[in-house]
Amino acid sequence: MGSMKKLKLEELGRISVDQFKEAEKLPVSILLDNVRSLHNVGSAFRTADAFRIEKIYLTGITGTPPHREIHKTALGSTDSVVWEYFEKPEEAAMKLKDQGYQIVIIEQTSESIPLQKINLEKGKKYCLVFGNEVHGVSESVINLGDVAIEIPQTGTKHSLNISVCLGIVVWEVFCKLNQFSR
């Protein structure tokens, strides 16, 4: 264990923004449904960059780049990840549905399945929907959902911070679509 060393930034072999734009993406988009916190928006961009998510849909009251508070947590990923703004989250969801995306609602509903049990198929496209910090995903978007998932939790609280939740869900989706064994 004594020979372990932390890698320097230049040793990580990261791709440039231009290379990112050209690179093959995971067939997954993220829809932020009225996400209030600009830090959460920035964090979503950073996670989307890390796992090569193809696009982020910002809707309703969700803040859009350029913004200092988004930039603080996004760390430049607003330059690499494609995004689009819609006033109504259900309009963005409808557009994605029309393009053949499966709408995956991340919410505690009567039909939610545990995240680890979600069945994802290679060749299909997915849109992960994350809702407002207090009110969750809008009913109008839930009604358009193909499946609802939730992260099983065993603590006293019944929710996670959206950026933490987004990271966990995106990692699971990334692993399943890349068939990583863990």
Side-chain angles (χ1 to χ4, degrees):
M1 212 46 176
S3 62
M4 185 186 300
K5 72 176 185 70
K6 192 167 158 177
L7 293 174
K8 294 183 178 76
L9 212 52
E10 60 273 14
E11 293 177 289
L12 295 175
R14 296 292 189 249
I15 61 175
S16 69
V17 169
D18 287 339
Q19 287 170 320
F20 182 95
K21 288 182 188 293
E22 296 301 315
E24 190 180 346
K25 307 294 185 301
L26 206 60
V28 173
S29 286
I30 289 171
L31 192 160
L32 299 183
D33 175 354
N34 289 290
V35 171
R36 188 188 64 242
S37 161
L38 297 171
H39 290 280
N40 285 338
V41 175
S43 181
F45 271 94
R46 195 165 162 190
T47 301
D49 176 280
F51 298 105
R52 287 197 202 165
I53 298 294
E54 58 186 17
K55 190 167 182 178
I56 295 184
Y57 291 83
L58 307 168
T59 72
I61 65 163
T62 308
T64 59
H67 195 288
R68 194 171 55 86
E69 291 300 310
I70 293 174
H71 187 70
K72 261 189 208 172
T73 44
L75 296 179
S77 55
T78 51
D79 297 331
S80 54
V81 179
V82 176
W83 63 273
E84 188 176 351
Y85 175 79
F86 280 78
E87 192 176 336
K88 292 185 166 64
E90 60 275 16
E91 283 178 10
M94 279 301 295
K95 175 187 172 174
L96 285 154
K97 239 176 143 57
D98 290 346
Q99 292 175 358
Y101 283 78
Q102 300 280 300
I103 306 298
V104 182
I105 308 293
I106 290 74
E107 185 62 87
Q108 293 160 327
T109 73
S110 56
E111 305 292 319
S112 293
I113 60 170
L115 171 61
Q116 72 275 19
K117 294 198 171 147
I118 188 170
N119 187 22
L120 302 175
E121 296 173 48
K122 273 194 178 288
K124 280 198 172 169
K125 301 185 290 187
Y126 298 93
C127 173
L128 309 175
V129 182
F130 298 88
N132 175 274
E133 291 86 346
V134 176
H135 306 293
V137 177
S138 318
E139 288 293 339
S140 58
V141 179
I142 288 174
N143 293 335
L144 296 168
D146 294 297
V147 64
I149 59 171
E150 62 181 295
I151 299 169
Q153 296 163 55
T154 56
T156 61
K157 302 294 177 207
H158 294 286
S159 67
L160 292 162
N161 171 282
I162 178 179
S163 59
V164 172
C165 176
L166 191 141
I168 293 169
V169 171
V170 169
W171 171 246
E172 184 72 20
V173 168
F174 177 82
C175 287
K176 284 201 158 125
L177 290 175
N178 284 302
Q179 293 170 332
F180 280 7
S181 57
R182 286 168 296 166

